[in-house]
């Protein structure tokens, strides 16, 4: 489990096919966020929960199965790109953002970026199937970052990015047409699926 509070950014070092030909082996330099990380533990990269399969100093290896590659933006990563990092929540940690599982619902596409003096307003188009879970003032995770929805209509929504978020995540480099991993609020999903 995660909270959507991004702890830093990592750099993709290598991307290559897995032994089975359908998976992807991803090597990421986690920097100081590799400290204490053990094989088998979970790390969220751009909001996707992955399992560390091996660790060499600061570089961690992850295996991305075909389903994950198709459903998220991770299948399009290239060496040199940066990814948002969040280590999994520990018992006793502060709960800051909102409950994020790292189980991405799909991808969204940025349709507009408006740069204002103290914020960047970002609009994105999301799959229509997620419409019941995207609500104004509700929580959403975009590339793993916990954000508040500021407006929404049929299948577009907007969020406001404050300077701290822009400084500590890879969202500062995003532009119109870029893809984002989207995870809607798990509490909304459970409420929507309660028996009537």
């Amino acid at each position: 489990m995660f909270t959507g509070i991004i702890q830093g950014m990592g750099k993709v070092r290598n991307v290559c096919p897995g032994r089975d030909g359908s998976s992807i082996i991803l090597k990421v330099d986690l920097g100081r966020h590799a400290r204490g990380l053990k094989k088998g533990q979970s790390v969220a990269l751009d909001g996707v929960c992955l399992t560390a399969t091996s660790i060499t100093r600061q570089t961690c290896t992850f295996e991305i199965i075909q389903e994950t590659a198709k459903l998220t933006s991770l299948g399009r990563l290239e060496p040199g790109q940066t990814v948002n990092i969040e280590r999994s929540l520990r018992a006793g940690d502060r709960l800051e953002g909102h409950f994020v599982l790292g189980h991405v619902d799909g991808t969204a596409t940025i349709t507009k970026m408006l740069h204002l003096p103290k914020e960047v307003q970002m609009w994105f188009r999301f799959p229509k199937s997620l419409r019941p879970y995207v609500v104004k003032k509700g929580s959403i995770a975009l590339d793993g970052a916990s954000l508040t929805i500021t407006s929404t209509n049929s299948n577009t929504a907007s969020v406001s990015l404050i300077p701290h978020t822009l400084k500590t995540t890879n969202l500062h480099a995003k532009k119109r047409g870029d893809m984002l991993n989207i995870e809607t609020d798990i509490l909304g999903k459970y409420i929507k699926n309660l028996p009537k």
Side-chain angles (χ1 to χ4, degrees):
M1 181 174 283
F2 307 92
T3 65
I5 303 300
I6 302 301
Q7 296 163 332
M9 291 173 279
K11 184 164 281 191
V12 177
R13 293 299 184 199
N14 192 27
V15 182
C16 63
R19 290 182 183 177
D20 61 3
S22 63
S23 63
I24 297 171
I25 304 301
L26 179 67
K27 291 188 178 182
V28 180
D29 183 347
L30 300 180
R32 63 185 177 87
H33 303 291
R35 289 182 199 150
L37 182 64
K38 297 177 182 177
K39 182 177 177 180
Q41 290 185 332
S42 297
V43 179
L45 298 181
D46 276 355
V48 183
C49 180
L50 298 172
T51 301
T53 58
S54 70
I55 304 156
T56 305
R57 294 182 182 157
Q58 296 180 343
T59 301
C60 186
T61 302
F62 304 91
E63 185 170 6
I64 301 171
I65 61 172
Q66 194 172 23
E67 177 72 9
T68 303
K70 282 172 32 182
L71 188 64
T72 74
S73 65
L74 297 191
R76 296 171 177 83
L77 284 176
E78 297 178 357
Q81 288 184 287
T82 59
V83 289
N84 291 329
I85 301 169
E86 184 183 357
R87 296 278 303 271
S88 58
L89 194 62
R90 294 177 297 188
D93 280 352
R94 294 176 64 91
L95 297 175
E96 301 284 351
H98 72 281
F99 290 117
V100 177
L101 302 183
H103 303 162
V104 171
D105 294 308
T107 57
T109 304
I110 297 173
T111 58
K112 182 180 177 183
M113 300 279 285
L114 180 60
H115 295 261
L116 300 173
K118 294 188 177 181
E119 66 180 286
V120 172
Q121 294 176 356
M122 182 172 72
W123 282 261
F124 56 94
R125 185 173 57 252
F126 57 87
K128 287 185 178 180
S129 61
L130 300 181
R131 181 66 191 93
Y133 314 108
V134 180
V135 295
K136 187 175 180 179
K137 303 299 181 186
S139 296
I140 198 164
L142 296 175
D143 273 3
S146 174
L147 299 165
T148 301
I149 298 165
T150 54
S151 68
T152 184
N153 58 37
S154 59
N155 71 323
T156 61
S158 68
V159 293
S160 292
L161 308 174
I162 62 172
H164 177 78
T165 302
L166 293 167
K167 181 180 178 182
T168 57
T169 73
N170 63 9
L171 295 177
H172 70 273
K174 299 294 183 181
K175 59 188 184 305
R176 182 179 176 183
D178 282 353
M179 183 182 294
L180 300 166
N181 292 321
I182 180 171
E183 182 184 336
T184 56
D185 190 0
I186 186 63
L187 299 179
K189 292 174 189 172
Y190 281 123
I191 291 169
K192 180 75 170 62
N193 287 283
L194 284 173
K196 294 181 180 179

